[in-house]
Amino acid sequence: MLRRDFLKTSAALAAAGFPASSLLAAATAPAQLKFLGQPQAFDYAWLKGHARQLASQPYKAPESHIPPEVKALDWDQYQSISYRDGHALWGDEKLRFQAKFFHLGLFFKSPVQIYELKNGQAQELAYDPAMFNYGKSGLKADHMPKDLGFAGFRVNFHTDLERDITAFLGASYFRAVGAEWQYGLSARGLAIDCGMDKPEEFPIFTSFWLERPAKDSSKLVVYALLDSPSVSGAYRFEIQPSATMVMDVDVALYPRKTIERMGVAPLTSMFQYGENDRRIGASDDWRPEIHDSDGLSMQRGNGEWIWRPLTNPEHLRFNAYQDENPRGFGLLQRDRNFDHYQDDGVFYDRRPSLWVEPKSGWGKGAIQLVEIPTADETFDNIVAFWNPADKPQAGQERLFAYRLHWGSKMPFSPQLAQVVATRTGMGGVIGQKRAYYSRRFAIDFAGGDLALLGKDAKVTAMISASRGKVEISSARPLDAIHGYRAMFDLKPTDDSVEPIDVRVYLAAGGQPLSETWLYQWTPPAPAKRTY
């Protein structure tokens, strides 16, 4: 399955599956949902014990008995299948949440078990063809197996029953919205061996337990069981809709074997091109920028704030930022100016940012960033996650707790000035003949105390590079943004095409005025260094 397929599919289905108004949804006669077996006692302690016991056994891939006609569905056919509002879980109970389910087919061929949890008792929901309108899919309800199962689920909140606030669909992927009601990047339960020289392993959520919320409660609790050849895990999600959606996540992991690279709280996004990297698409596409996120933001354990602009590299690129007890990290969409995207179809300017806030000390490890080459916007090519320094071993229990924040406004941001734009181009002095190849970098900073600085303030761009020679550096006021622009050229001093790491921040009187800008620039081969 493509990393981005589940996003496109679930978003399209959500749009296709809702009535014209919430009044129509309210007027739909609720149907009686069917359940399997008898209710069984359930709590998070039981789920953790079940995951531990599962990890003590050899991995067994989930079985799928999808009829050939369901497997054969193409994109348009699958998208035409919609969920009937009258079959929503809790739709007739006047609660603040409703849940609706995704049909199997297309990329989603392994059924997941979905349970309702009520008063400590869990009972599995039964698939019923009557739950779905099969539209132009060619499927016939009376030909569907009664035990087909579901692909995943989505959740609606009482403030708007036409649009879902979160959805879990495909492997361990899930996504959510803030006040902008716009999907974009996604999160995952776990990433294993991402960005390595061997195939990545994609753990899957095999079962979900949706806890019936109390009347007038604006919190929804969802439990999930994760499984893969390397690990089993128990998850608890507490979901709180708001202008910035909040999810509290508790994770208990039980490895079956040593895991070389385990990604905790993985975030997955897309960056095709932007103002700093126009390698692909920019010369032929009418839109100035295409990306779900434009940078990786990190607050280190020592309090330092770092901004790493994203790129679409020519080859897979992996970076690890060592830390101890990080305060948080996230893939953000800082640029929210529609004019910078000009896309009135998918609205990249409205895409949510996603911040990970650890709720306890995570110890030593690294925030790791994987950037994968992509030719177009239909592939998610950016992954960021926390990788513990101690590799998980078979028989261990590894516990993690964190909070996810989805939306345009993050709860944490630097008190210092922030990077608001990164631009690159040919170096040299305008009007003078260039004698050699160099690359120009212009970084705009705004916020913090920059607007308070007088005209005589001596602001310095503190620049360092792992290789090459830094030239023509400056830091000067930029009135248009009430901030400053740091500018410099970087001249390669060897023939290497290995990446060069660059670090910049603004300072005055020995004190930092901004967060730290990190960048990784790959110089072209010597034969391509024209000037």
Side-chain angles (χ1 to χ4, degrees):
M1 182 183 75
L2 302 179
R3 297 169 184 268
R4 196 170 169 79
D5 284 332
F6 102 102
L7 272 175
K8 298 187 299 179
T9 303
S10 57
L13 290 176
F18 289 116
S21 69
S22 57
L23 293 177
L24 179 59
T28 304
Q32 187 68 38
L33 297 181
K34 300 176 182 179
F35 292 86
L36 301 173
Q38 297 298 315
Q40 301 291 327
F42 176 92
D43 59 20
Y44 190 44
W46 177 88
L47 182 59
K48 289 193 288 186
H50 180 57
R52 184 195 293 271
Q53 191 272 337
L54 196 64
S56 68
Q57 304 172 1
Y59 174 70
K60 183 179 180 181
E63 296 182 357
S64 178
H65 303 289
I66 300 181
E69 61 269 30
V70 177
K71 287 184 179 181
L73 292 175
D74 63 23
W75 166 263
D76 291 329
Q77 291 172 321
Y78 184 69
Q79 186 176 326
S80 74
I81 302 173
S82 61
Y83 195 82
R84 298 184 185 276
D85 296 300
H87 291 260
L89 180 63
W90 311 314
D92 61 342
E93 300 187 43
K94 297 182 179 180
L95 303 178
R96 292 185 175 179
F97 294 92
Q98 295 182 8
K100 302 172 185 178
F101 308 105
F102 291 111
H103 202 278
L104 287 165
L106 197 63
F107 313 111
F108 316 108
K109 297 182 172 67
S110 296
V112 298
Q113 294 176 300
I114 298 179
Y115 298 79
E116 182 191 23
L117 177 58
K118 183 177 179 180
N119 298 325
Q121 298 288 309
Q123 192 169 14
E124 185 178 358
L125 281 158
Y127 164 84
D128 184 350
M131 292 175 164
F132 297 91
N133 180 343
Y134 288 95
K136 298 180 180 180
S137 68
L139 300 181
K140 304 297 183 183
D142 54 359
H143 292 172
M144 291 295 98
K146 301 301 182 182
D147 59 350
L148 183 61
F150 305 104
F153 69 94
R154 63 180 186 265
V155 176
N156 296 94
F157 195 52
H158 71 105
T159 56
D160 189 337
L161 294 177
E162 295 186 18
R163 295 177 288 184
D164 46 313
I165 58 170
T166 186
F168 290 71
L169 178 66
S172 67
Y173 286 87
F174 58 99
R175 78 278 197 277
V177 301
E180 295 72 27
W181 290 97
Q182 179 68 52
Y183 284 120
L185 81 169
S186 57
R188 283 193 268 168
L190 198 66
I192 295 180
D193 296 337
C194 181
M196 300 187 69
D197 58 356
K198 59 181 178 179
E200 180 176 350
E201 180 179 308
F202 289 88
I204 60 175
F205 286 137
T206 61
S207 303
F208 294 98
W209 291 259
L210 281 59
E211 186 169 15
R212 183 185 187 277
K215 186 177 181 180
D216 299 327
S217 174
S218 293
K219 294 183 179 180
L220 176 66
V221 176
V222 174
Y223 299 90
L225 176 67
L226 178 138
D227 203 17
S228 80
S230 296
V231 64
S232 291
Y235 286 69
R236 182 184 187 274
F237 301 88
E238 184 173 286
I239 301 168
Q240 302 177 61
S242 59
T244 299
M245 163 83 79
V246 175
M247 289 185 180
D248 286 300
V249 186
D250 290 288
V251 182
L253 298 172
Y254 304 94
R256 286 188 169 90
K257 59 184 180 181
T258 301
I259 300 176
E260 185 69 20
R261 181 181 294 168
M262 184 174 76
V264 176
L267 315 180
T268 301
S269 191
M270 180 275 296
F271 182 95
Q272 184 183 350
Y273 63 87
E275 58 202 9
N276 63 298
D277 183 348
R278 305 178 67 79
R279 184 182 67 84
I280 292 291
S283 61
D284 296 325
D285 200 295
W286 58 275
R287 294 165 294 178
E289 301 185 41
I290 296 178
H291 49 77
D292 284 342
S293 307
D294 53 13
L296 169 64
S297 179
M298 297 172 276
Q299 187 181 22
R300 294 170 51 82
N302 63 7
E304 180 187 16
W305 282 91
I306 293 173
W307 176 253
R308 165 58 157 80
L310 298 176
T311 64
N312 181 2
E314 189 172 354
H315 306 286
L316 186 146
R317 181 177 290 174
F318 172 80
N319 282 275
Y321 303 98
Q322 304 298 324
D323 204 356
E324 184 172 0
N325 296 324
R327 301 187 188 184
F329 68 95
L331 291 175
L332 309 187
Q333 185 79 313
R334 277 188 177 173
D335 188 348
R336 300 202 167 267
N337 188 333
F338 172 80
D339 189 52
H340 294 176
Y341 303 93
Q342 285 296 325
D343 195 316
D344 58 349
V346 297
F347 296 100
Y348 286 113
D349 56 300
R350 301 179 188 174
R351 297 298 170 108
S353 297
L354 179 50
W355 182 260
V356 178
E357 176 195 356
K359 296 172 67 175
S360 59
W362 281 1
K364 294 182 178 181
I367 296 169
Q368 299 186 345
L369 175 66
V370 179
E371 296 167 298
I372 305 168
T374 185
D376 60 55
E377 62 202 281
T378 62
F379 290 84
D380 277 348
N381 64 318
I382 305 295
V383 188
F385 50 82
W386 172 255
N387 177 236
D390 295 332
K391 295 178 182 179
Q393 308 292 322
Q396 289 183 336
E397 178 184 62
R398 303 296 293 268
L399 302 177
F400 298 91
Y402 53 93
R403 179 169 290 169
L404 297 176
H405 303 267
W406 307 75
S408 62
K409 296 182 180 179
M410 295 292 94
F412 307 101
S413 60
Q415 297 300 308
L416 302 172
Q418 298 182 40
V419 177
V420 296
T422 299
R423 298 179 177 88
T424 68
M426 179 64 72
V429 179
I430 295 175
Q432 296 183 17
K433 185 177 180 180
R434 297 180 177 89
Y436 49 82
Y437 174 85
S438 64
R439 194 70 178 170
R440 171 68 52 87
F441 293 86
I443 307 109
D444 293 347
F445 296 86
D449 294 332
L450 295 185
L452 303 177
L453 297 177
K455 293 183 179 180
D456 296 330
K458 295 182 179 180
V459 176
T460 303
M462 310 299 292
I463 307 169
S464 61
S466 60
R467 291 197 333 273
K469 181 181 179 182
V470 174
E471 302 179 326
I472 321 177
S473 62
S474 64
R476 57 180 185 268
L478 189 60
D479 293 338
I481 63 170
H482 305 290
Y484 269 72
R485 172 169 289 174
M487 188 176 292
F488 64 95
D489 285 3
L490 183 57
K491 173 188 174 183
T493 54
D494 56 34
D495 292 340
S496 174
V497 293
E498 290 300 311
I500 299 175
D501 295 311
V502 192
R503 179 184 180 95
V504 178
Y505 67 93
L506 298 180
Q511 296 296 316
L513 295 173
S514 72
E515 65 183 354
T516 301
W517 174 89
L518 295 183
Y519 204 75
Q520 194 168 68
W521 174 59
T522 301
K528 295 183 179 181
R529 295 178 188 178
T530 57
Y531 52 88

